[in-house]
Structures are given as C-alpha cells and as structure tokens.
Amino acid sequence: MGRKNTVRRRAVVLERMEILMASASSIAGTNPALAYRQASVARRLCSRHRVRMPYHLRMMFCRRCKSLIVPGVSSRVRIGGSNIRSIRTTCGFCGFVYRKMLPSPPSSS
C-alpha cells in the first residue's frame, strides 16, 4: 500500500471518528446505549487502522474503565480547591477522578 493511500485512509478514519463521537455526545442524554455503542465503534476504528485518536476525543473516555464520559450524563464535573484551583471530573461508572489544575489568578498588589 502506497503512502498516498495511507494518508487518505487516515483522513477518512479521523473524519468518521469525529462524526461518531459528535453523535455519541449529543445523543447520550436520550439514548445512552446507542451513544456507548457509537463510542466503542470509534475506539475500534482507531485500533483496527492503527490511527492515534486525537486528544480531544481521547479525553471523552475514562482511563480506567474505557467507558464514554459525557459531562452531566455519565460524569460529574466540579470546580474546587482552596489554594490550588482545579477542575475535577469523576467517572459515573467506576468513580475514577481526573484533576486538571487551573492557573492561579494574578495577585492584586
């Protein structure tokens, strides 16, 4: 298989993953079974064709249980921290917590 075909196949796989994940995130509130099925198909696409899933799509999956994370539907998102500001996302299935640190606000002098 030539380089041109590989590049074209990668582009098609990425486009299909984007479509599946957009559909899964929009339908997750009304039909969660279909949304999780679409997400698993997107994951299998990248595995089968050896294409790395983009970061913004990878963050929609739990690192521990590999299920689809949709804020407000299958996860809880909280902003907190006293000295260190952070965003905490908790998976609704396994309880795994992701922490993303926020930059501290500039101090008033």
Side-chain angles (χ1 to χ4, degrees), residues 29-60:
T30 56
N31 193 351
L34 178 60
Y36 299 134
R37 174 78 176 139
Q38 288 174 337
S40 68
V41 168
R43 280 183 66 87
R44 277 199 321 236
L45 268 176
C46 70
S47 296
R48 178 175 294 158
H49 295 286
R50 293 187 354 204
V51 174
R52 187 175 170 93
M53 189 176 282
Y55 179 78
H56 68 279
L57 296 179
R58 264 186 285 146
M59 290 298 106
M60 294 179 73

Side-chain angles (χ1 to χ4, degrees), residues 16-87:
R16 289 182 183 173
M17 277 194 297
E18 291 278 349
I19 292 168
L20 282 168
M21 293 304 291
S23 176
S25 63
S26 67
I27 203 169
T30 56
N31 193 351
L34 178 60
Y36 299 134
R37 174 78 176 139
Q38 288 174 337
S40 68
V41 168
R43 280 183 66 87
R44 277 199 321 236
L45 268 176
C46 70
S47 296
R48 178 175 294 158
H49 295 286
R50 293 187 354 204
V51 174
R52 187 175 170 93
M53 189 176 282
Y55 179 78
H56 68 279
L57 296 179
R58 264 186 285 146
M59 290 298 106
M60 294 179 73
F61 291 97
C62 178
R63 283 188 214 148
R64 184 189 290 173
C65 67
K66 307 298 187 229
S67 64
L68 178 67
I69 292 180
V70 180
V73 177
S74 61
S75 69
R76 182 176 65 226
V77 179
R78 303 178 80 189
I79 300 174
S82 56
N83 293 336
I84 301 173
R85 306 275 309 188
S86 65
I87 297 176

Side-chain angles (χ1 to χ4, degrees), residues 32 93 102 104:
F93 298 105
L102 296 174
S104 61

Side-chain angles (χ1 to χ4, degrees), residues 6-24:
T6 304
V7 171
R8 187 175 299 136
R9 182 179 62 182
R10 183 178 189 278
V12 169
V13 168
L14 287 174
E15 180 184 355
R16 289 182 183 173
M17 277 194 297
E18 291 278 349
I19 292 168
L20 282 168
M21 293 304 291
S23 176

Side-chain angles (χ1 to χ4, degrees), residues 75-82 84 86-91 96-101:
S75 69
R76 182 176 65 226
V77 179
R78 303 178 80 189
I79 300 174
S82 56
I84 301 173
S86 65
I87 297 176
R88 294 185 313 245
T89 306
T90 306
C91 178
F96 189 74
V97 179
Y98 303 91
R99 289 177 185 85
K100 175 136 175 117
M101 299 301 161

